[in-house]
Amino acid sequence: MVESLQNGDHFTIQIKSIGCFHNERQTITIINNEGILTAHFNNKRKLLSPSDIKELINFELQLRDLQLGGCTTVDTYVLTNNYESFKYSDSTCRWSGYKKLMAMF
């Protein structure tokens, strides 16, 4: 989705992680402003480098390729842009894709 952002478009990643001892919700918003991509998370703003964009693309590809798991922790991701929305769940307890996203900040 990040690759398809046009000028003025935005893309959000909503993350909900629920397990035996936690319940977390977070949202990351990516905005294209005249070809410059910025990420917004918890009142933080970051200009995305080419390597950051590559990480976002890898995140989405890995998310779309997840297999079923049997863990009690379930991470749910909702990816939304101006035109469509996708929902994925990870119950593998091996991938932890949201931690990779948080590392950008």
Side-chain angles (χ1 to χ4, degrees):
M1 288 186 142
V2 73
E3 291 176 296
S4 65
L5 287 177
Q6 300 297 314
N7 185 34
D9 285 352
H10 70 279
F11 161 63
T12 61
I13 303 170
Q14 296 175 354
I15 306 159
K16 180 171 62 170
S17 182
I18 299 174
C20 294
F21 304 103
H22 74 285
N23 183 351
E24 299 174 15
R25 293 174 188 260
Q26 302 165 3
T27 301
I28 297 172
T29 303
I30 311 296
I31 299 172
N32 180 341
N33 187 11
E34 298 183 9
I36 298 171
L37 298 180
T38 56
H40 302 262
F41 172 69
N42 283 349
N43 297 321
K44 295 178 186 176
R45 180 178 167 231
K46 178 181 180 180
L47 292 174
L48 297 180
S49 68
S51 64
D52 291 330
I53 295 168
K54 198 180 256 189
E55 283 297 317
L56 282 169
I57 293 168
N58 287 334
F59 165 82
E60 185 178 349
L61 292 173
Q62 291 171 6
L63 182 61
R64 290 178 185 254
D65 198 36
L66 283 175
Q67 303 299 313
L68 294 176
C71 187
T72 58
T73 295
V74 178
D75 299 331
T76 303
Y77 301 87
V78 179
L79 285 66
T80 306
N81 65 16
N82 293 51
Y83 314 102
E84 57 191 337
S85 182
F86 297 99
K87 183 177 181 178
Y88 302 93
S89 291
D90 172 25
S91 60
T92 64
C93 282
R94 286 181 272 130
W95 184 56
S96 298
Y98 74 93
K99 290 181 182 178
K100 297 174 187 175
L101 290 177
M102 297 303 114
M104 288 191 333
F105 294 92

